[in-house]
């Protein structure tokens, strides 16, 4: 130990534990005086090289301490080591296990003999770090990915002769995989590009059909179709450092910037997919690999410099483990099961992973004159900053105009300017807050019978994750906002004051609350999956029925006041649209695709279903909605446009062609019932005859969307009507007059929003191809204009006299704001526009496009195009802002780059 710096000591009887500066632990017997090596690891610095042997339980690592180390998984010890004359960035073991390829920081490729760890040969064809190495599936070639955006291919059988270069990446190449036939390569780079290569020609493959069915020998790329779900929702692959597919191809492991190792199903294609998470690393995890026989997972840290060995249990191994547990291990088994259940519950509750980046980023460790370790901290360089540095001084020209892309230094890029000083409370939450005041919208496009009257005559409905109680007299809204995701079902208690609402989600919740006080009475969860399709109270309001969106469309009966389930059962193999209790005998009726069922609770709270009887020659129909008369007769609305009347489970009467097309809404009143359908009509029935018809087919502003009735509710001669185009009307059946209560965009995404510069008004644009102007004071839409295509962005000019709209087909439309008439149209792009803004003086209009284009128009010359530029290839521009003097523009793009023009 004479050359080793001692960092830690511990004495026990006749032995001393010694920890060294080189991450070693020795035990010294005082009498014998000989040290026994207990633990070894890489010295200070990153460990970014990791690879497992193709047929043995050994692995190799390489790090900034200039060492390549060989490890035994079973002995859990280092078996050999080779010190090189430079930091090691990457390592890879050859297919036959004879060689270890090492990529160094200075661009050298060093080949070691695995058996002796002695150098076999060395090449230097690059001057920048080698980030990744990968032998082909047949073992005949070696691909080398460099920081200079190149991929070099070597012939292993010809003493690693350089035989080709794949050029096309715009940034450092970070990941590589070979196809199973060794003819193709796939690669990632630091700027978010995922490319494919034909190895023989070293040309990029651009035709998707040629690579769709390719079998890949390994999968370590962080991008690509099978790995698109591993990143947190809405975030993208930024922060995901490595992946590895298991040997049998059913699991994908990932390593990220937040110190987490995660396991996903493979392929993983759903954004924000469920996973298992495991912590242990202190910060960034650099690499992850499976052992060849899928018993072990290995990960290495970029900051902590350690290697962690994980035991990997597949589903089959878990079953074997359970069989091995003896009776004496029951308590342990229960504890393990409880732990697993807690992990699954935690995973399924989280829709979106919000992470905080801890750690000090890149660091350099030095020792001062006093022998104290000093850490020099640098903020991590993001992909955005790397691109900004790379694009300094780049220019794009168009006509007589010129737009310059420049990168400000980090001090100015932070947004503060040279005189900016960080306030003392800069890291605190702001003192201001938001209070929900008004919601412009109604969820009618994909729900039905979700519009109700309360006992006080208020209108109750839901939109997004909010339940709304609308007071007609004061045109005021009150909100119940305890849901965490979109509300898709609603049910009213017999007292017409208590409301139940159900949401979507992997573990959806049901909230029971009071429509006047907004007090929560019960929160029900833990049985359904995916969402709550329908809710219904029984005749005395003590029970609540719920229907789930799971595969079995399960039914649950709740004692909602106690928060317990009284009965559960699978509902139907096909979707159930609605459930209602009979107000006379508490029989529950469900209707849906190809069925109507009548359910009763028997014995020890068991639900038993009985199919509807259509008669001797009757054929099952798809039913869209249901309701009950006060006498206990059931009504169901059919896909055929017929309304069916049931006595018990037997068909009593069929109202043929009540509507042209499906009947989506049914509600009863003392003298009859109300029906609404796809034909845009609402019919009032008395007995067996229709007595009144209200036609809403021409009320929708968007000509491309026909008005369809989705909800109806009757109270004291007033009929509430909800449409598929998200409008709510109230109709007086006596005077036959109708009043528009709520109007919003028709079942489409709304991307455009801007406030008027001088008035209390705002404009919106949606993919229903409409621009709408709302008055904040009246809380109503004042003007609507239909445009040829969907709208992605809107912006007022300086004085509010013009409103610009950017369309999905690349067209810019200018409207005057008095009547929203179109004054000018310009189409420079084929792809969708994403944002647009007038300059502060109102002279110029800038637009961003999904194809990466930034265009500037002159409003004083009939919006003539006077300048254009483009961001990095493959990226779309998403946001823009003008400087106060109108001389500069800042933009964001889809690759998380922030640029200045």
């Amino acid at each position: 130990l004479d050359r080793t710096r001692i960092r830690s000591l511990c004495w026990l009887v006749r032995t001393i534990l010694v920890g060294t500066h080189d991450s070693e632990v020795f035990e010294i017997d005082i009498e014998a005086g000989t040290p026994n090596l207990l633990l070894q690891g890489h010295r200070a610095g990153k460990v970014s090289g990791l690879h497992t042997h193709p047929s043995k339980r050994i692995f190799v690592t390489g790090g900034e301490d200039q060492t390549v180390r060989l490890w035994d998984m079973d002995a859990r010890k280092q078996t050999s080591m080779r010190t090189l004359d430079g930091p090691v960035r990457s390592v890879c073991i050859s297919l036959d296990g004879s060689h270890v390829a090492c990529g160094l920081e200075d661009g050298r490729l060093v080949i070691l003999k695995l058996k002796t760890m002695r150098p076999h040969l060395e090449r230097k064809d690059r001057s920048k770090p080698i980030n990744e190495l990968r032998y082909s599936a047949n073992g005949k070639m070696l691909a080398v990915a460099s920081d200079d955006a190149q991929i070099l291919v070597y012939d292993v059988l010809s003493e690693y002769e350089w035989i080709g270069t794949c050029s096309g990446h715009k940034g450092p190449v970070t990941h590589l995989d070979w196809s199973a036939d060794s003819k193709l390569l796939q690669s990632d780079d630091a700027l978010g590009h995922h490319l494919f290569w034909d190895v023989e020609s070293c040309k990029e493959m651009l035709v998707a059909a040629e690579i769709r069915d390719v079998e890949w020998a390994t999968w370590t790329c962080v991008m690509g179709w099978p790995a698109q779900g591993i990143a947190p929702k809405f975030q993208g692959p930024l922060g995901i450092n490595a992946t590895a597919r298991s040997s049998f191809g059913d699991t994908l492991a990932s390593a990220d910037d937040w110190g987490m190792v995660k396991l996903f199903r493979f392929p993983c294609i759903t954004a924000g997919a469920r996973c298992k998470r495991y912590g242990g690393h202190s910060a960034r995890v650099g690499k992850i690999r499976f052992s060849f026989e899928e018993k072990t997972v290995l990960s290495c840290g970029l900051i902590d410099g350690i290697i962690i060995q994980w035991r990997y249990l597949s589903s089959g191994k878990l079953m074997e483990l359970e069989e091995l547990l003896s009776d004496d291990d029951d308590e342990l088994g229960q504890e393990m099961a409880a732990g697993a259940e807690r992990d699954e519950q935690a995973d399924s509750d989280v829709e979106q992973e919000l992470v905080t980046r801890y750690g000090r980023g890149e660091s350099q460790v030095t020792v001062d004159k006093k022998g104290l370790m000093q850490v020099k901290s640098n903020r991590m360089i993001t992909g955005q900053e790397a691109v900004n540095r790379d694009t300094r001084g780049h220019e794009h020209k168009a006509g007589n105009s010129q737009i310059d892309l420049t990168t400000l230094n980090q001090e100015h890029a932070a947004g503060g300017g040279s005189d900016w000083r960080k306030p003392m409370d800069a890291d605190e939450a702001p003192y201001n807050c938001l209070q929900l005041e008004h919601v412009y919208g109604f969820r009618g496009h994909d729900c039905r019978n979700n519009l109700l009257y309360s006992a006080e005559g208020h209108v109750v409905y839901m939109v997004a994750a909010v339940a709304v109680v609308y007071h007609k007299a004061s045109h005021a809204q009150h909100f119940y906002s305890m849901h965490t995701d979109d509300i898709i079902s609603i049910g009213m208690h017999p007292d017409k004051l208590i409301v139940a609402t159900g949401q979507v989600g992997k573990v959806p919740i049901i909230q029971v609350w009071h429509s006047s006080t907004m007090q929560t009475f019960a929160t029900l969860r833990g049985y359904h999956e995916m969402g709550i399709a329908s809710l219904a109270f029984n005749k005395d309001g003590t029970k609540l029925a719920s229907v789930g969106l799971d595969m079995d469309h399960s039914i649950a009966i709740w004692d909602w006041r106690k928060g317990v389930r009284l009965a559960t059962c699978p509902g139907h193999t096909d979707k159930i649209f609605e459930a209602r209790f009979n107000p006379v005998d508490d029989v529950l009726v469900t209707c849906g695709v190809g069925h109507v069922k009548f359910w009763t609770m028997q014995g020890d709270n068991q639900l038993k279903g009985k199919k509807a009887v259509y008669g001797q020659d009757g054929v099952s129909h798809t039913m869209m909605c249901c309701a009950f008369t006060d006498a206990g007769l059931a009504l169901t609305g059919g896909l055929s446009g017929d309304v069916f009347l049931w006595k018990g489970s037997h068909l009593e009467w069929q109202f043929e062609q009540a509507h042209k097309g499906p009947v989506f809404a049914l509600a009863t009143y003392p003298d009859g019932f109300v029906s609404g359908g796809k034909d845009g009509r609402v019919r009032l029935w008395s007995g067996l005859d229709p007595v009144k018809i209200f036609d809403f087919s021409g009320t929708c502003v968007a000509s491309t969307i026909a008005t369809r009735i989705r909800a109806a509710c009757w109270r004291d001669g007033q009929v509430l009507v909800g449409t598929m185009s998200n409008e709510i009307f109230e109709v007086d059946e006596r005077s036959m007059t109708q009043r528009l209560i709520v109007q919003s965009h028709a079942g489409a995404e709304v991307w455009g929003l801007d406030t008027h510069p001088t008035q209390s008004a705002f404009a919106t644009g949606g993919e229903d191809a409409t621009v709408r102007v709302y008055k904040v004071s009246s809380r109503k839409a004042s003007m609507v204009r239909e445009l040829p295509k969907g709208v992605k962005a809107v912006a007022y000019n300086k004085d509010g006299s013009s409103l610009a709209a950017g369309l999905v087909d690349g067209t810019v439309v200018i409207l005057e704001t008095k009547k929203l008439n179109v004054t000018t149209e310009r189409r420079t792009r084929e792809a969708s526009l994403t944002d647009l803004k007038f300059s502060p003086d109102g002279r110029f209009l800038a637009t961003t496009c999904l194809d990466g284009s930034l265009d500037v128009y002159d409003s004083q010359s009939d919006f003539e195009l006077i300048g254009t530029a483009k961001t990095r290839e493959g990226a779309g521009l998403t946001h823009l802002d003008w400087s106060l003097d109108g001389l500069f523009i800042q933009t964001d793009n889809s690759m998380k780059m922030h640029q200045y023009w």
Side-chain angles (χ1 to χ4, degrees):
L1 300 176
D2 56 335
R3 299 180 183 177
T4 303
R5 286 176 285 183
I6 308 302
R7 306 291 295 181
S8 181
L9 289 171
C10 183
W11 178 86
L12 178 63
V13 189
R14 296 176 179 174
T15 59
I16 301 174
L17 278 180
V18 180
T20 76
H21 179 267
D22 295 328
S23 302
E24 299 163 323
V25 177
F26 294 88
E27 186 179 51
I28 302 175
D29 187 300
I30 296 175
E31 294 181 353
T34 56
N36 177 32
L37 181 62
L38 300 181
L39 185 66
Q40 252 179 318
H42 284 270
R43 295 189 287 271
K46 294 190 297 185
V47 178
S48 55
L50 170 67
H51 200 254
T52 54
H53 195 283
S55 58
K56 296 180 180 178
R57 285 185 54 77
I58 60 176
F59 65 97
V60 65
T61 60
E64 280 188 342
D65 61 354
Q66 303 185 11
T67 65
V68 178
R69 300 172 186 247
L70 191 63
W71 308 80
D72 188 310
M73 298 183 206
D74 295 323
R76 297 169 186 168
K77 289 184 178 181
Q78 177 182 306
T79 58
S80 60
M81 179 185 76
R82 168 62 59 179
T83 301
L84 303 179
D85 56 353
V88 180
R89 179 69 71 91
S90 53
V91 294
C92 186
I93 302 176
S94 63
L95 189 67
D96 60 4
S98 62
H99 289 162
V100 178
C102 308
L104 274 60
E105 291 275 3
D106 61 4
R108 280 181 296 155
L109 172 64
V110 177
I111 307 298
L112 303 177
K113 293 180 180 179
L114 180 66
K115 190 172 182 179
T116 62
M117 293 297 283
R118 292 180 178 177
H120 173 66
L121 62 84
E122 181 178 316
R123 299 186 60 101
K124 192 175 191 316
D125 301 310
R126 301 285 101 181
S127 60
K128 292 190 176 182
I130 295 176
N131 296 320
E132 186 62 290
L133 302 156
R134 184 76 63 222
Y135 282 94
S136 61
N138 59 16
K140 297 180 180 180
M141 290 174 283
L142 173 68
V144 175
S146 173
D147 227 27
D148 61 3
Q150 308 289 323
I151 302 173
L152 278 61
V153 182
Y154 295 90
D155 187 344
V156 175
L157 303 181
S158 300
E159 285 297 296
Y160 293 87
E161 179 187 357
W162 181 10
I163 59 174
T165 303
C166 301
S167 300
H169 278 286
K170 304 298 182 182
V173 184
T174 54
H175 303 87
L176 283 174
D177 288 298
W178 286 87
S179 61
D181 59 9
S182 300
K183 294 181 179 180
L184 306 178
L185 277 169
Q186 66 173 351
S187 56
D188 293 339
D189 68 27
L191 300 186
H193 297 99
H194 183 71
L195 305 183
F196 300 90
W197 309 90
D198 177 80
V199 177
E200 184 177 358
S201 63
C202 287
K203 298 293 185 182
E204 182 183 353
M205 302 181 67
L206 301 175
V207 181
E210 296 178 357
I211 54 177
R212 185 176 358 186
D213 299 321
V214 173
E215 179 183 353
W216 297 98
T218 59
W219 192 284
T220 61
C221 288
V222 301
M223 288 173 279
W225 181 82
Q228 59 185 309
I230 65 174
K233 204 171 182 181
F234 311 118
Q235 178 177 306
L238 185 67
I240 309 299
N241 297 322
T243 67
R245 186 184 63 194
S246 62
S247 306
F248 301 127
D250 59 349
T251 302
L252 188 70
S254 75
D256 61 36
D257 269 353
W258 307 285
M260 301 302 296
V261 169
K262 298 179 183 178
L263 296 181
F264 299 85
R265 293 182 183 272
F266 186 88
C268 182
I269 59 175
T270 304
R274 294 174 63 179
C275 65
K276 297 289 187 182
R277 305 177 190 81
Y278 304 93
H281 288 281
S282 64
R284 304 174 67 194
V285 188
K287 286 280 174 64
I288 190 162
R289 293 291 182 265
F290 282 87
S291 62
F292 77 96
E293 84 299 35
E294 209 176 78
K295 289 183 178 179
T296 302
V297 172
L298 296 150
S299 60
C300 62
L302 291 180
I303 303 301
D304 53 35
I306 65 167
I307 302 108
I308 295 182
Q309 181 172 320
W310 310 82
R311 183 182 180 189
Y312 178 70
L313 296 177
S314 62
S315 56
K317 294 174 187 174
L318 283 171
M319 294 177 64
E320 294 173 10
L321 184 63
E322 290 173 1
E323 292 174 0
L324 291 174
L325 289 174
S326 64
D327 293 339
D328 295 335
D329 296 328
D330 284 346
E331 185 176 346
L332 174 62
Q334 292 170 6
E335 186 177 333
M336 291 173 63
E341 184 178 350
R342 286 194 297 271
D343 286 346
E344 181 66 20
Q345 180 74 12
D347 287 341
S348 60
D349 278 343
V350 180
E351 283 290 331
Q352 173 184 339
E353 186 180 1
L354 302 177
V355 292
T356 303
R357 298 183 69 156
Y358 295 105
R360 55 181 184 266
E362 301 288 351
S363 62
Q364 298 176 358
V365 181
T366 59
V367 178
D368 63 15
K369 295 181 180 179
K370 297 180 179 179
L372 300 177
M373 185 173 67
Q374 302 293 330
V375 180
K376 179 181 178 183
S377 302
N378 297 309
R379 185 170 51 84
M380 277 185 281
I381 302 298
T382 64
Q384 164 196 327
E385 294 173 31
V387 172
N388 285 345
R389 293 180 179 186
D390 188 50
T391 55
R392 185 174 287 112
H394 195 63
E395 294 184 353
H396 301 266
K397 297 182 179 180
N400 297 324
S401 65
Q402 177 174 302
I403 299 180
D404 297 330
L405 170 62
T406 62
T407 303
L408 304 184
N409 61 46
Q410 293 302 317
E411 188 174 319
H412 288 99
S418 58
D419 297 329
W420 185 80
R421 295 294 181 270
K422 182 178 179 180
M424 294 182 62
D425 60 353
D427 296 326
E428 302 296 327
Y431 298 114
N432 303 328
C433 60
L434 295 176
Q435 183 177 2
L436 190 56
E437 187 176 68
H438 198 84
V439 177
Y440 299 83
F442 163 67
R443 188 167 190 142
H445 60 280
D446 60 356
C447 295
R448 60 183 60 79
N449 276 349
N450 57 337
L451 196 55
L452 306 167
Y453 276 118
S454 71
E456 299 165 326
H458 303 317
V459 180
V460 183
Y461 59 96
M462 79 276 191
V463 57
V466 178
V468 180
V469 179
Y470 173 66
H471 294 206
K472 296 182 293 179
S474 60
H475 186 53
Q477 295 177 341
H478 298 264
F479 309 101
Y480 183 80
S481 53
M482 297 304 292
H483 281 278
T484 58
D485 212 325
D486 285 1
I487 304 172
I488 58 170
S489 56
I490 189 168
M492 182 69 80
H493 192 276
D495 68 4
K496 302 295 182 182
L497 290 173
I498 297 173
V499 180
T501 44
Q503 68 178 55
V504 297
K506 293 176 182 177
V507 182
I509 62 173
I510 301 167
Q511 300 282 17
V512 184
W513 49 280
H514 198 282
S515 60
S516 293
T517 64
M518 303 298 158
Q519 177 188 355
T520 301
F521 292 130
T523 300
L524 311 176
R525 58 158 62 89
Y527 175 67
H528 294 297
E529 297 178 355
M530 308 309 295
I532 311 298
S534 185
L535 291 167
F537 286 95
N538 70 333
K539 62 180 179 179
D540 61 4
T542 58
K543 299 182 181 68
L544 177 67
S546 58
V547 178
L549 288 178
D550 53 275
M551 294 293 291
D552 294 325
H553 304 101
S554 304
I555 300 171
I557 308 296
W558 305 78
D559 182 335
W560 61 270
R561 290 192 181 275
K562 295 181 180 178
V564 297
R565 291 187 299 276
L566 301 177
T568 60
C569 72
H572 199 269
T573 55
D574 289 313
K575 188 172 183 178
I576 296 175
F577 291 121
E578 195 160 16
R580 288 289 179 266
F581 274 106
N582 190 320
V584 175
D585 57 12
D586 262 2
V587 170
L588 179 71
V589 62
T590 61
C591 64
V593 177
H595 77 281
V596 177
K597 276 189 177 181
F598 299 83
W599 303 83
T600 55
M601 289 183 63
Q602 298 180 349
D604 54 347
N605 289 336
Q606 295 295 315
L607 275 174
K608 184 176 181 180
K610 185 176 183 181
K611 293 182 179 179
V613 180
Y614 288 86
Q616 292 183 349
D617 301 323
V619 179
S620 296
H621 292 259
T622 292
M623 300 296 181
M624 310 303 298
C625 55
C626 60
F628 274 98
T629 67
D630 292 340
L633 299 177
L635 290 160
T636 58
L639 182 67
S640 61
D642 299 347
V643 175
F644 300 80
L645 180 67
W646 307 84
K647 187 174 183 179
S649 60
H650 290 74
L651 181 62
E652 187 77 6
W653 188 262
Q654 186 170 344
F655 302 85
E656 295 183 353
Q657 294 301 302
H659 290 272
K660 294 180 181 179
V663 180
F664 289 130
L666 284 173
T668 59
Y669 66 101
D671 298 329
F673 66 94
V674 182
S675 64
K678 184 178 178 179
D679 56 3
R681 295 183 173 185
V682 174
R683 286 191 168 193
L684 266 67
W685 303 75
S686 180
L688 303 179
D689 301 313
V691 292
K692 291 182 180 179
I693 298 177
F694 305 100
D695 192 351
F696 293 87
S697 58
T699 59
C700 185
V701 176
S703 60
T704 57
I705 303 174
T707 300
R708 301 167 185 176
I709 308 303
R710 302 287 291 187
C713 184
W714 183 94
R715 182 180 185 272
D716 296 338
Q718 305 289 324
V719 181
L720 277 179
V721 177
T723 73
M724 194 171 185
S725 49
N726 296 337
E727 298 158 325
I728 298 177
F729 295 89
E730 187 175 53
V731 180
D732 190 313
E733 66 166 295
R734 303 177 187 87
S735 63
M736 298 292 286
T737 57
Q738 61 188 41
R739 180 169 70 98
L740 181 62
I741 294 177
V742 173
Q743 185 182 30
S744 62
H745 289 272
E749 294 181 354
V750 180
W751 286 89
L753 173 66
D754 197 23
T755 53
H756 195 285
T758 60
Q759 299 177 10
S760 181
F762 63 94
T764 60
E767 291 192 349
D768 62 348
T770 65
V771 172
R772 300 169 187 253
V773 176
Y774 298 82
K775 295 291 186 182
V776 176
S777 56
S778 64
R779 297 172 185 170
K780 291 182 179 179
S782 60
M783 288 185 288
V784 182
R785 174 63 62 187
E786 185 178 14
L787 297 178
K789 297 290 182 179
V791 182
K792 279 292 189 178
V794 294
Y796 283 102
N797 68 345
K798 179 183 179 181
D799 60 5
S801 60
S802 295
L803 179 66
L807 308 190
V808 295
D809 65 351
T811 303
V812 178
V813 178
I814 309 299
L815 305 98
E816 55 83 22
T817 54
K818 289 185 178 180
K819 295 184 178 179
L820 288 188
N821 292 324
V822 176
T823 60
T824 308
E825 288 189 22
R826 292 285 180 265
R827 188 179 184 188
T828 307
R829 302 295 164 192
E830 299 294 326
S832 174
L833 299 182
T834 55
D835 198 5
L836 76 174
K837 285 186 178 68
F838 283 92
S839 59
D841 60 5
R843 179 179 177 182
F844 302 111
L845 174 68
T847 67
T848 57
C849 183
L850 207 56
D851 66 4
S853 300
L854 171 64
D855 297 323
V856 178
Y857 299 84
D858 189 346
S859 65
Q860 296 179 359
S861 300
D862 198 23
F863 290 91
E864 175 190 0
L865 179 65
I866 61 168
T868 184
K870 209 162 188 180
T871 187
R872 283 290 180 176
E873 182 181 352
L877 288 175
T878 56
H879 305 84
L880 74 89
D881 290 296
W882 285 89
S883 62
L884 194 60
D885 57 10
L887 297 179
F888 301 97
I889 296 174
Q890 64 175 355
T891 60
D892 293 338
N893 74 13
S894 56
M895 290 184 180
K896 312 295 184 184
M897 296 161 53
H898 186 72
Q899 297 168 297
Y900 298 85
W901 310 77

